[in-house]
Amino acid sequence: MRLDKLLAHCGYGSRKDVKKYIRSGEVLVNGEVILDDDYKVNEEVDEIIVFDESVSYQNKVYIMLNKPKNVVSATFDNKAKTVIDLLSQYKNYKIFPIGRLDIDTTGLLLVSNDGALCHKLLSPKNHVDKKYLVEFDGDFKQSYYNDFEMGIILDDGYKTLPSHIEIIDEKKAIVTIHEGKFHQVKRMFLALNMKVINLKRIEFGPLVLDESLKEGEYRLLNKEEISILTSL
Ligand code: URA
């Protein structure tokens, strides 16, 4: 791969920026200053140093974001800020959100450039579990436990797959669903005359939201998390 392309891909700036760094002698490959931006590197074996820092080339990235409110789960939007805007450091990796959370939903969103993983996690056949912390208004009746377990008929007539609810207190519950229909949790509550006030995703498949991440913060998945995900 061309040296300038690789550095831009790794987040060191635009192609124009990295060409400037290369020509000003800031980039070493295997200990040698390279001034030529179309110099070819083997990203698997060559040691590349920029500004005295070793470059780690990752083909695939896996990011756990604690999504804040008022940000859309999309790569582009005409008006609203997107989750990709929050991750500008990784924009050269062509990342996209794996699945969607509503604009007012917070919590665990996986963002990656691994299309095969995305397909696997979102395929309706695979029933990846999603767990949400729900704050709601309205009366929770005992009979609703059974409704969640048996499936709830939504406003469009669709009956959800069996799900699970654990009541924490009068206004809070943890709900696990195995599919991802549009506004699903909110519509399940509405179907039972309750209203979701706040929704936060705390688990997505085998991933658990890292509670040290404040809203808007993110981190790369660790090796163990990646290997669990990719071996699903
Ligand atoms: N269910 C919803 O209603 N909204 C979300 O963002 C996710 C699940």
Side-chain angles (χ1 to χ4, degrees), residues 49-67:
I49 310 264
V50 182
F51 304 125
D52 295 329
E53 190 184 274
S54 174
V55 174
S56 83
Y57 176 81
Q58 294 159 297
N59 197 2
K60 298 265 192 305
V61 280
Y62 303 90
I63 303 160
M64 176 187 290
L65 169 69
N66 184 353
K67 179 192 165 299

Side-chain angles (χ1 to χ4, degrees), residues 34-61:
I34 302 296
L35 298 169
D36 185 4
D37 43 50
D38 74 357
Y39 184 86
K40 302 286 183 304
V41 284
N42 179 344
E43 62 276 11
E44 306 289 336
V45 294
D46 288 338
E47 197 204 7
I48 303 160
I49 310 264
V50 182
F51 304 125
D52 295 329
E53 190 184 274
S54 174
V55 174
S56 83
Y57 176 81
Q58 294 159 297
N59 197 2
K60 298 265 192 305
V61 280

Side-chain angles (χ1 to χ4, degrees), residues 100-102 105 132 177 181 183-187 199:
R100 277 171 171 273
L101 291 175
D102 296 339
T105 300
Y132 295 88
I177 58 175
K181 301 286 177 213
H183 297 328
Q184 180 161 340
V185 175
K186 291 174 186 162
R187 289 162 70 212
L199 191 59

